[in-house]
Amino acid sequence: MNDHLFRIAGKFQLDGKVKEVNPLGEGFINDTYIVITEEGFRYILQRKNKKVFSPIPAMMENIEKVCRHIKAKVKKTGGDPMREAMTIIPAHDGKLYFLDEDDEYWAVCLFIEDTIAYEAAETPDLAYAGGKGIGKFQSLVADLKEPLTDILPGFHHIRIRYEQWDKVLSKDPVGRKAKVTEEISWIESRREEMMNFWRLVEEGTIPTRVSHNDTKINNILFDKKGEVLCVIDLDTVLNSTVLNDFGDAIRYYTNTGKEDDENLDRVSMDIEIFRAFTRGYLKEAGSFLTQKELEYLAFSARYITYEQVLRFLMDYIDGDNYYKVKSEDHNLIRTRAQYKLLVSMEEQYDEMKKAISELGF
Ligand code: GN1
Ligand code: MG
């Protein structure tokens, strides 16, 4: 495998000869490695998951457009475009990816040195900085005029998720459905309120904009002063409601437990972290959000967390085809932990709304 990875890394326009290739992180979708050259330069190498993102060349074009746009703006305001935006390293033939003999797609970007990536928002200060970072990212890409290809149709689109869900449930391909009747009822009992929200997006009452769609804290690089330097993992940039970015970040930042915590007592929504993230987010995004977006800001956290419960449970019933799993029940454990978080958000919903109005929105 390592020989193969060396060979793949050698297909890209790196500075220097490849010295080391090591696995990095625990992404659920792509395989990620860090490449070090003899000269000491570091790069991120990824095998992109073509079952999830399709077509990969269009995804890489999307990423390149977003990076180019951010770099130009950072330059104008006197920032460092090599540190405040991702830099895609093309293959020797100039393409933004390399297709190997097994028909797998690979891509490389520059590793940004002297940054910190967190796995959890341990303090309100960090959540505040993260909120500012996501708001700033959205405002940087708000005026991107070039169209993006929808390489993930139906990604945070609950109508399409229900179509997938209904299909998987009627097939029950590995016979797991009978084991999870209670969990299925969690999804069914909230169908209407989720569709009511999504209809506002479909009708255009809630606008769509360029959004990130995967705003976990580890998709952000912080500098040593604790400020957001660069938002990474741009595979999912697309036109959708920016509420999904806020909601997904709240799902991740405010969780007092882990996404796949087996001890449900540890899982809940931390309202202090919610307040801090939201304060940071609205500092940057408050000026461009519409009244309707603001009205549904708190609800978006419930929407995305609910969708995540559905996606984990659907993958469990489907026989674990989408997410990488560490055990047979991993997707079920994730389902239960995310559901506990959802209930905690529902219980604190009034508090969440109050926190937003106290910020003056
Ligand atoms: C996936 O690969 P990663 O960890 O960045 C997923 C997100 C989920 C997340 C669950 C393209 O993201 O949507 O929220 O796992 N990405 C895709 O933690 O499906
Ligand atoms: Mg990701």
Side-chain angles (χ1 to χ4, degrees):
M1 184 61 186
N2 223 34
D3 279 357
H4 183 57
L5 290 171
F6 263 69
R7 221 176 47 74
I8 299 287
K11 299 289 178 186
F12 290 87
Q13 299 180 24
L14 310 182
D15 252 329
K17 210 166 149 265
V18 180
K19 187 173 139 216
E20 270 177 56
V21 185
N22 299 312
L24 182 77
E26 289 206 25
F28 295 180
I29 310 286
N30 297 320
D31 295 329
T32 306
Y33 304 89
I34 182 155
V35 176
I36 309 170
T37 66
E38 302 277 3
E39 286 75 1
F41 294 107
R42 300 206 281 178
Y43 301 88
I44 301 290
L45 167 69
Q46 278 191 315
R47 187 176 66 88
K48 300 286 189 182
N49 188 326
K50 65 178 178 198
K51 276 201 317 203
V52 172
F53 309 109
S54 174
I56 302 280
M59 174 178 89
M60 295 308 299
E61 282 295 330
N62 284 350
I63 300 175
E64 177 63 13
K65 280 177 196 167
V66 170
C67 293
R68 222 174 20 223
H69 185 79
I70 297 179
K71 279 179 192 294
K73 285 182 114 173
V74 166
K75 233 190 233 164
K76 260 195 200 150
T77 51
D80 183 348
M82 297 308 278
R83 291 181 61 72
E84 294 175 43
M86 278 174 55
T87 305
I88 311 265
I89 306 294
H92 289 300
D93 62 4
K95 292 206 177 93
L96 300 173
Y97 59 87
F98 172 71
L99 182 62
D100 74 9
E101 56 281 6
D102 301 320
D103 261 349
E104 294 293 347
Y105 286 93
W106 298 83
V108 170
C109 67
L110 209 60
F111 180 88
I112 305 173
E113 301 287 347
D114 297 318
T115 63
I116 310 168
Y118 295 92
E119 284 306 318
E122 274 136 26
T123 64
D125 283 351
L126 192 59
Y128 173 75
K132 266 199 326 191
I134 294 301
K136 186 168 169 211
F137 175 83
Q138 291 178 349
S139 71
L140 280 170
V141 292
D143 58 344
L144 174 65
K145 292 284 180 300
E146 293 174 273
L148 299 176
T149 309
D150 188 1
I151 47 94
L152 273 168
F155 190 49
H156 289 315
H157 187 307
I158 207 69
R159 187 189 294 281
I160 295 180
R161 290 293 178 200
Y162 286 136
E163 284 167 15
Q164 299 168 344
W165 165 262
D166 291 338
K167 243 188 236 153
V168 168
L169 260 72
S170 71
K171 252 196 183 166
D172 191 17
V174 287
R176 284 177 171 175
K177 201 171 109 180
K179 229 183 110 180
V180 289
T181 47
E182 190 190 339
E183 287 80 357
I184 291 172
S185 76
W186 299 340
I187 300 301
E188 296 299 343
S189 63
R190 291 167 176 82
R191 229 186 229 249
E192 210 183 305
E193 64 180 334
M194 296 302 160
M195 268 315 301
N196 286 344
F197 165 71
W198 194 252
R199 243 176 246 119
L200 300 174
V201 179
E202 289 178 325
E203 293 160 8
T205 309
I206 292 175
T208 55
R209 309 167 186 277
V210 178
S211 48
H212 182 283
N213 294 291
D214 189 5
T215 46
K216 283 182 176 178
I217 196 167
N218 59 11
N219 281 337
I220 274 186
L221 299 177
F222 290 80
D223 65 18
K224 299 246 160 90
K225 292 181 299 205
E227 292 291 330
V228 168
L229 185 72
C230 179
V231 175
I232 56 170
D233 196 356
L234 301 178
D235 296 352
T236 52
V237 279
L238 48 94
N239 277 294
S240 188
T241 161
V242 290
L243 294 180
N244 290 336
D245 287 355
F246 177 82
D248 200 36
I250 294 299
R251 174 184 79 81
Y252 204 83
Y253 280 69
T254 66
N255 191 349
T256 52
K258 287 190 298 193
E259 193 179 56
D260 59 353
D261 221 311
E262 291 192 61
N263 180 353
L264 295 181
D265 291 339
R266 280 199 291 245
V267 178
S268 65
M269 188 195 79
D270 183 331
I271 191 79
E272 285 315 316
I273 298 287
F274 176 85
R275 279 200 187 95
F277 184 93
T278 306
R279 193 162 53 84
Y281 176 70
L282 288 174
K283 185 166 190 281
E284 297 288 337
S287 58
F288 66 79
L289 294 180
T290 65
Q291 209 45 48
K292 266 288 170 236
E293 286 174 304
L294 289 165
E295 191 183 323
Y296 282 88
L297 198 58
F299 188 79
S300 72
R302 286 169 55 186
Y303 175 79
I304 285 287
T305 307
Y306 169 87
E307 186 212 38
Q308 196 64 69
V309 179
L310 183 155
R311 290 173 67 196
F312 284 147
L313 183 57
M314 181 164 73
D315 198 34
Y316 178 73
I317 298 170
D318 198 33
D320 309 318
N321 287 315
Y322 188 90
Y323 291 110
K324 290 182 191 168
V325 288
K326 289 185 183 156
S327 67
E328 208 190 304
D329 279 353
H330 200 178
N331 272 319
L332 188 54
I333 293 166
R334 288 167 170 155
T335 301
R336 291 179 178 148
Q338 289 287 287
Y339 180 67
K340 176 77 196 302
L341 180 65
L342 173 63
V343 171
S344 176
M345 287 177 176
E346 289 170 345
E347 286 166 359
Q348 298 183 83
Y349 188 48
D350 289 343
E351 279 298 302
M352 290 158 84
K353 295 196 79 151
K354 198 168 138 220
I356 293 169
S357 68
E358 278 171 4
L359 289 166
F361 292 92

